[in-house]
PDB file of all heavy atoms in Angstrom:
ATOM      1  N   HIS A  48      -7.593   3.630   1.144  1.00  0.00           N
ATOM      2  CA  HIS A  48      -7.941   2.219   0.969  1.00  0.00           C
ATOM      3  C   HIS A  48      -7.283   1.746  -0.324  1.00  0.00           C
ATOM      4  O   HIS A  48      -7.265   2.499  -1.305  1.00  0.00           O
ATOM      5  CB  HIS A  48      -9.456   2.041   0.810  1.00  0.00           C
ATOM      6  CG  HIS A  48     -10.256   2.541   1.957  1.00  0.00           C
ATOM      7  ND1 HIS A  48     -10.651   1.744   2.991  1.00  0.00           N
ATOM      8  CD2 HIS A  48     -10.739   3.774   2.238  1.00  0.00           C
ATOM      9  CE1 HIS A  48     -11.350   2.450   3.855  1.00  0.00           C
ATOM     10  NE2 HIS A  48     -11.408   3.698   3.424  1.00  0.00           N
ATOM     11  N   PRO A  49      -6.771   0.514  -0.368  1.00  0.00           N
ATOM     12  CA  PRO A  49      -6.287   0.009  -1.643  1.00  0.00           C
ATOM     13  C   PRO A  49      -7.474  -0.188  -2.585  1.00  0.00           C
ATOM     14  O   PRO A  49      -8.561  -0.585  -2.146  1.00  0.00           O
ATOM     15  CB  PRO A  49      -5.616  -1.316  -1.287  1.00  0.00           C
ATOM     16  CG  PRO A  49      -6.182  -1.714   0.027  1.00  0.00           C
ATOM     17  CD  PRO A  49      -6.610  -0.452   0.713  1.00  0.00           C
ATOM     18  N   ALA A  50      -7.280   0.083  -3.854  1.00  0.00           N
ATOM     19  CA  ALA A  50      -8.351  -0.114  -4.834  1.00  0.00           C
ATOM     20  C   ALA A  50      -8.730  -1.589  -4.888  1.00  0.00           C
ATOM     21  O   ALA A  50      -9.902  -1.925  -5.034  1.00  0.00           O
ATOM     22  CB  ALA A  50      -7.918   0.391  -6.198  1.00  0.00           C
ATOM     23  N   ALA A  51      -7.749  -2.458  -4.753  1.00  0.00           N
ATOM     24  CA  ALA A  51      -7.962  -3.908  -4.695  1.00  0.00           C
ATOM     25  C   ALA A  51      -6.934  -4.457  -3.718  1.00  0.00           C
ATOM     26  O   ALA A  51      -5.733  -4.305  -3.957  1.00  0.00           O
ATOM     27  CB  ALA A  51      -7.789  -4.537  -6.066  1.00  0.00           C
ATOM     28  N   PRO A  52      -7.358  -5.081  -2.622  1.00  0.00           N
ATOM     29  CA  PRO A  52      -6.388  -5.558  -1.633  1.00  0.00           C
ATOM     30  C   PRO A  52      -5.404  -6.589  -2.187  1.00  0.00           C
ATOM     31  O   PRO A  52      -4.268  -6.646  -1.753  1.00  0.00           O
ATOM     32  CB  PRO A  52      -7.251  -6.174  -0.534  1.00  0.00           C
ATOM     33  CG  PRO A  52      -8.617  -5.648  -0.746  1.00  0.00           C
ATOM     34  CD  PRO A  52      -8.734  -5.287  -2.189  1.00  0.00           C
ATOM     35  N   ASP A  53      -5.835  -7.376  -3.146  1.00  0.00           N
ATOM     36  CA  ASP A  53      -4.966  -8.379  -3.757  1.00  0.00           C
ATOM     37  C   ASP A  53      -4.711  -7.981  -5.199  1.00  0.00           C
ATOM     38  O   ASP A  53      -5.654  -7.768  -5.968  1.00  0.00           O
ATOM     39  CB  ASP A  53      -5.601  -9.769  -3.666  1.00  0.00           C
ATOM     40  CG  ASP A  53      -5.797 -10.197  -2.224  1.00  0.00           C
ATOM     41  OD1 ASP A  53      -4.808 -10.176  -1.476  1.00  0.00           O
ATOM     42  OD2 ASP A  53      -6.934 -10.524  -1.850  1.00  0.00           O
ATOM     43  N   MET A  54      -3.436  -7.849  -5.542  1.00  0.00           N
ATOM     44  CA  MET A  54      -3.069  -7.340  -6.864  1.00  0.00           C
ATOM     45  C   MET A  54      -1.740  -7.921  -7.307  1.00  0.00           C
ATOM     46  O   MET A  54      -0.993  -8.468  -6.498  1.00  0.00           O
ATOM     47  CB  MET A  54      -2.973  -5.817  -6.832  1.00  0.00           C
ATOM     48  CG  MET A  54      -1.878  -5.283  -5.910  1.00  0.00           C
ATOM     49  SD  MET A  54      -1.749  -3.483  -5.848  1.00  0.00           S
ATOM     50  CE  MET A  54      -3.242  -3.036  -5.006  1.00  0.00           C
ATOM     51  N   ASP A  55      -1.455  -7.779  -8.592  1.00  0.00           N
ATOM     52  CA  ASP A  55      -0.142  -8.140  -9.102  1.00  0.00           C
ATOM     53  C   ASP A  55       0.887  -7.179  -8.529  1.00  0.00           C
ATOM     54  O   ASP A  55       0.570  -6.009  -8.264  1.00  0.00           O
ATOM     55  CB  ASP A  55      -0.103  -8.066 -10.633  1.00  0.00           C
ATOM     56  CG  ASP A  55      -0.931  -9.155 -11.293  1.00  0.00           C
ATOM     57  OD1 ASP A  55      -1.094 -10.235 -10.690  1.00  0.00           O
ATOM     58  OD2 ASP A  55      -1.416  -8.927 -12.421  1.00  0.00           O
ATOM     59  N   ALA A  56       2.106  -7.668  -8.327  1.00  0.00           N
ATOM     60  CA  ALA A  56       3.195  -6.811  -7.862  1.00  0.00           C
ATOM     61  C   ALA A  56       3.254  -5.578  -8.765  1.00  0.00           C
ATOM     62  O   ALA A  56       3.117  -5.677  -9.982  1.00  0.00           O
ATOM     63  CB  ALA A  56       4.506  -7.572  -7.889  1.00  0.00           C
ATOM     64  N   ASN A  57       3.457  -4.412  -8.133  1.00  0.00           N
ATOM     65  CA  ASN A  57       3.360  -3.158  -8.861  1.00  0.00           C
ATOM     66  C   ASN A  57       4.344  -2.161  -8.255  1.00  0.00           C
ATOM     67  O   ASN A  57       4.220  -1.803  -7.082  1.00  0.00           O
ATOM     68  CB  ASN A  57       1.915  -2.654  -8.743  1.00  0.00           C
ATOM     69  CG  ASN A  57       1.652  -1.368  -9.455  1.00  0.00           C
ATOM     70  OD1 ASN A  57       2.430  -0.417  -9.374  1.00  0.00           O
ATOM     71  ND2 ASN A  57       0.528  -1.306 -10.134  1.00  0.00           N
ATOM     72  N   GLU A  58       5.287  -1.717  -9.039  1.00  0.00           N
ATOM     73  CA  GLU A  58       6.320  -0.791  -8.562  1.00  0.00           C
ATOM     74  C   GLU A  58       5.725   0.508  -8.034  1.00  0.00           C
ATOM     75  O   GLU A  58       6.205   1.058  -7.051  1.00  0.00           O
ATOM     76  CB  GLU A  58       7.320  -0.500  -9.685  1.00  0.00           C
ATOM     77  CG  GLU A  58       8.521   0.299  -9.242  1.00  0.00           C
ATOM     78  CD  GLU A  58       9.418  -0.433  -8.242  1.00  0.00           C
ATOM     79  OE1 GLU A  58       9.514  -1.666  -8.293  1.00  0.00           O
ATOM     80  OE2 GLU A  58      10.033   0.252  -7.402  1.00  0.00           O
ATOM     81  N   ARG A  59       4.672   0.992  -8.646  1.00  0.00           N
ATOM     82  CA  ARG A  59       4.066   2.253  -8.196  1.00  0.00           C
ATOM     83  C   ARG A  59       3.408   2.102  -6.833  1.00  0.00           C
ATOM     84  O   ARG A  59       3.454   3.018  -6.007  1.00  0.00           O
ATOM     85  CB  ARG A  59       3.077   2.763  -9.240  1.00  0.00           C
ATOM     86  CG  ARG A  59       3.827   3.068 -10.559  1.00  0.00           C
ATOM     87  CD  ARG A  59       3.007   3.830 -11.471  1.00  0.00           C
ATOM     88  NE  ARG A  59       3.183   5.238 -11.079  1.00  0.00           N
ATOM     89  CZ  ARG A  59       2.700   6.239 -11.762  1.00  0.00           C
ATOM     90  NH1 ARG A  59       2.006   6.027 -12.846  1.00  0.00           N
ATOM     91  NH2 ARG A  59       2.893   7.474 -11.362  1.00  0.00           N
TER      92      ARG A  59
END
Side-chain angles (χ1 to χ4, degrees):
H48 301 266
D53 298 306
M54 63 180 69
D55 290 332
N57 180 315
E58 188 65 31
R59 297 193 85 173

